[in-house]
Amino acid sequence: MSGPGDFVTDNLASGGTVCGTAVAPGGQETSSSATPAKKPKKACRARTGYMLFHGEARKRIRAAHPELNFVEVSKRVGEEWAKVSAEEKNKYKLRAEQIAKEAKEDDSQKIILPPPGRILVYQCMWQKCDIQADTSDALYEHIKTTHNMEYFSQGEKRYACLWSTCFRNKRYPRSFSLLPHLQQHIKYKHLPRCARFITPDKKSKNFFSLTSSA
């Protein structure tokens, strides 16, 4: 039984199409001299209610008992936390959730600025696709409407990820039983890494935008 990789190889060799994208016979994958956009700093683990309490209690205990070492202070913090009422613990929990929410909103408003002489694009890395988009939302819309790589295995419809950097099929020959699962996989695994800084002359002829026909 042939898998998604065999299907794609045979289809490309005959000059066919993959998910609606035309490919010339024997076509080569397009290489890019684009510079990946600098990845944002990895987000710190969200603080919990206990972590908030721990920070406050540790400062207070160290100020009152400077002779205590790290382990002794931590032990006292744990003892105090055990005596905190459920109502007070819930207040710390709500505070932690509010802090996490505000931090997430701040991150969503950050703008990636390209260096001088370059523009920001979002590059589709699906096999044999050279689409570029002006936003991640535009690229995701392109993916949803174009890349639905389906094949049949033992009479069952399956959906394969053919993102060129995806290890799901390179290392583990698995696929998705539902198209929405494939789309979510691409959205959260691949889209965050597809931003590129390029010079204007490297802009693809197949440029996709939700707001214009650029």
Side-chain angles (χ1 to χ4, degrees), residues 66-208:
E67 74 281 2
L68 297 180
N69 60 33
F70 180 87
V71 175
E72 292 170 332
V73 172
S74 296
K75 182 179 179 181
R76 291 206 179 188
V77 171
E79 292 172 348
E80 288 192 11
W81 179 251
K83 298 177 182 178
V84 175
S85 66
E87 182 180 357
E88 285 298 313
K89 287 182 178 179
N90 189 56
K91 290 181 180 179
Y92 278 102
K93 177 184 176 183
L94 294 176
R95 279 179 55 197
E97 291 175 349
Q98 182 61 31
I99 292 173
K101 180 181 178 181
E102 292 174 355
K104 185 175 181 180
E105 290 175 350
D106 288 342
D107 288 340
S108 66
Q109 295 175 2
K110 290 181 179 178
I111 300 175
I112 302 176
L113 297 177
R118 290 179 176 262
I119 60 175
L120 174 65
V121 299
Y122 293 83
Q123 178 73 51
C124 182
M125 300 294 288
W126 196 268
Q127 285 187 9
K128 308 301 179 180
C129 182
D130 65 347
I131 285 288
Q132 291 173 348
D134 57 346
T135 66
S136 59
D137 288 340
L139 181 56
Y140 186 51
E141 185 65 25
H142 156 73
I143 291 169
K144 289 192 298 181
T145 57
T146 307
H147 299 317
N148 57 348
M149 179 59 212
E150 64 180 47
Y151 70 101
F152 287 87
S153 176
Q154 299 180 348
E156 180 184 1
K157 183 182 291 187
R158 307 289 298 179
Y159 297 90
C161 178
L162 299 183
W163 204 263
S164 62
T165 58
C166 185
F167 286 94
R168 187 178 180 90
N169 282 316
K170 291 181 179 179
R171 297 179 60 183
Y172 308 102
R174 296 180 295 173
S175 55
F176 300 87
S177 59
L178 297 175
L179 180 57
H181 292 173
L182 168 62
Q183 293 171 343
Q184 290 297 299
H185 163 75
I186 295 172
K187 181 177 182 179
Y188 293 108
K189 287 291 185 179
H190 301 313
L191 283 190
R193 300 177 177 85
C194 66
R196 298 287 185 273
F197 293 139
I198 64 171
T199 54
D201 61 300
K202 298 295 183 181
K203 186 176 178 180
S204 173
K205 294 180 180 179
N206 298 317
F207 191 82
F208 182 75

Side-chain angles (χ1 to χ4, degrees), residues 2-51:
S2 61
D6 297 327
F7 174 87
V8 173
T9 301
D10 295 341
N11 201 25
L12 295 179
S14 61
T17 61
V18 178
C19 305
T21 303
V23 181
Q28 300 295 319
E29 286 192 37
T30 57
S31 60
S32 174
S33 59
T35 303
K38 186 176 181 180
K39 295 181 181 179
K41 293 182 179 180
K42 188 175 182 179
C44 297
R45 185 176 62 177
R47 301 177 71 183
T48 63
Y50 174 72
M51 292 173 68

